[in-house]
Amino acid sequence: MLFWNGIAIGMILLVLLAFLIYKLRNPISVPKVKTNVDSEKFNIKAMTKYIKIQFNEMTGRNLYDNALDRADFERQKNMRVELKAALKGCNSGDLYDKMYVKDLIHDLLMKGYGMDEQNVNYVLPFDEPEKLTVQDKFEILMQIYKKKHKYKALPQMIEEYRLDELKNVIEDGQTESYIITEEEILDIYQEKASKLSFEDKMQVIVQRIYQEYKGFGVIDEIRNMLIDGVSGGVSGLPSSMQDIEDEQKLLEAMRRGSKEDVLHSVWIMYRGKTMHLSFLSFGSEREIKRICQSIYKYNSPGQLTEQNGYIINDMKDNSRIVVMRPPFAETWIFFNRKFDLTFADLENFLNPKGRGYTFKNTVLPLRFIPFLMKSTRTIAVTGEQGSGKSTFIMACIKFYAATLALRIMEMAFELHLRKLFPRRNIVTTKETAEISGQQGMDVQKKTDGAVNIIGEAATDEQVTWIIQAGTVASKCTIFSHHPKTFKDLISSLRNSALKTGLFQNEFIAEQQVVSILNFDVHLFKDPEGRRYIERITECVPLIYQENPYPEDSEKARIEFYKRMTDKRAYEERDIIVFEDDGYVAKNPITEHQKKDMLKQMTKKDCAAFEEMLSTFWPVAS
């Protein structure tokens, strides 16, 4: 008898233990109360439709029909104008317009739709976490993190759970990549989620309605985070490329939502690392198309059509947007590149705070680079995409004398130097459909500019702008380019000058390039996402290095033919290089370069320059 009683007690204890474990693993689960709530009314689709109707009425109704007095009429009129402007600006990257529209959605749902503590759980099953999708849980996590970390929410979660580490997930686990998986999000939710307040739930719902109505779908909140950028449509197979013969299998694959389709193609760039958010889906190819057709519209850059298959533009928040569509691209694609102005500081660029790594002897480039600007050197900032070229240029601008007027030419507004230096003389122009870049350069020549900045020398024509600016238009030029080596840089600039017909002779074209260029600052991004200056190289035109001909006539003749048949217009001289996680002083700058730099600087800067050279290159000085 005692034996069977023991068995019964043991079974009861096991059941209690299992129940306790379940409750601990589902901390926000509460008993669902049966109510008479209209489930057809309280869902995202119905609520989004309600918001659309309300906004249409608010912006389209005739105020004269309401028999308002003058004060009320003006108030209603101003509110309508403000709402129209916010609805237009919110999907152009204006965060304040987005907040205005979201606040209005919140008020309409609370006051006009009857949201309360009970029906909020019918919109999304907050009280039954097992029914929440991974997107639901991710957006809840963003709301939880945003309460404390604001727009550092996503970076904070990535850092806290080390989500930016390489993983063996794709291609049967044989290939390393930066990827955040569904399993990781579910685990974080299990650990972080607690009982949500009613207001937290409302904020999640409001964001979902906003992003499906006026925002950018699943990337809407991600785009506002302090990351380097976000893109979509860049991986997976579009439906037109899926090779499924059986119609039933195709429908089943669409229902399951394969992780290898184009819908699961949300990518971010975070601290130089391109990461796949494989747990998120756009839901349909129509949704990707909708985002592509709306995200580039700021300042009306033209229409994205089959004939004009791509558009490069900027957004209200100063980020760059590139959109592509078929037939130019194999599917609808967008790239939104952000520029964090908080890193537009040379010291922070060389040793970024909170990045988890530091470099040795950063004082060397930190002291040397400012003198390149003070002495108005012409500088190429080179490196691959994402290596930090634009950020580096922004970080260096403050070292130019405030007396020098800056003139910038870009494909799309990216540097935003007026935001950093509002009291300096700065004019930025870009190409448009009606005004070519060459016309823009011609206008800039008549605007008293001293420093020319060319955002990116990506085309042959843009290279000619560098040569024009370096010869007749300004004291100096700084530009970005994408070559891997110094030799590649010179060859690329020379070949572009030849292609455009600016020069006919290859050697003369190369001579012209090296006579303009003083230094190449080459940036590098390693596989771990660390960004640093790989080298600072001086361009030494050989016209300053040629030795006199020998006095012996025969030897002089041989030397003459040697120089004519083996012409070299330049030598490259590495001044500072990156070795063993630190910066090393290599060769001193040439005497000719030193004299020219001293000639362009004030007496105070000359003394500091001489002192810096004697510290790091004591033998040469």
Side-chain angles (χ1 to χ4, degrees), residues 32-156:
K32 188 172 181 179
V33 180
K34 297 289 184 180
T35 66
N36 294 321
V37 173
D38 183 359
S39 60
E40 293 297 319
K41 176 182 177 182
F42 293 99
N43 61 71
I44 295 294
K45 185 176 180 180
M47 294 165 73
T48 303
K49 183 178 180 181
Y50 167 78
I51 293 298
K52 288 181 180 179
I53 293 171
Q54 292 300 309
F55 280 175
N56 287 337
E57 288 183 359
M58 294 169 70
T59 57
R61 65 189 173 201
N62 190 340
L63 297 180
Y64 292 99
D65 293 340
N66 296 338
L68 301 171
D69 60 33
R70 185 178 183 85
D72 284 341
F73 180 87
E74 289 298 323
R75 183 173 58 83
Q76 293 278 355
K77 179 182 175 182
N78 291 336
M79 286 179 60
R80 185 168 69 174
V81 170
E82 190 174 10
L83 176 57
K84 283 184 175 181
L87 289 172
K88 182 179 180 180
C90 66
N91 61 0
S92 298
D94 191 314
L95 190 56
Y96 295 104
D97 284 342
K98 174 181 174 178
M99 292 169 62
Y100 178 89
V101 173
K102 285 181 63 176
D103 286 344
L104 188 53
I105 292 173
H106 185 282
D107 288 346
L108 288 171
L109 293 179
M110 291 297 296
K111 298 174 182 178
Y113 208 74
M115 295 299 298
D116 59 34
E117 294 273 4
Q118 287 189 346
N119 56 40
V120 72
N121 293 315
Y122 277 79
V123 184
L124 291 175
F126 296 104
D127 57 342
E128 298 178 276
E130 66 278 3
K131 293 184 179 180
L132 291 169
T133 67
V134 66
Q135 179 185 341
D136 296 336
K137 293 182 177 181
F138 174 71
E139 290 173 0
I140 290 171
L141 286 172
M142 286 296 95
Q143 172 61 23
I144 293 171
Y145 273 90
K146 274 182 65 178
K147 290 171 67 176
K148 181 177 180 180
H149 303 287
K150 306 299 182 185
Y151 294 104
K152 293 181 180 178
L154 182 56
Q156 176 63 29

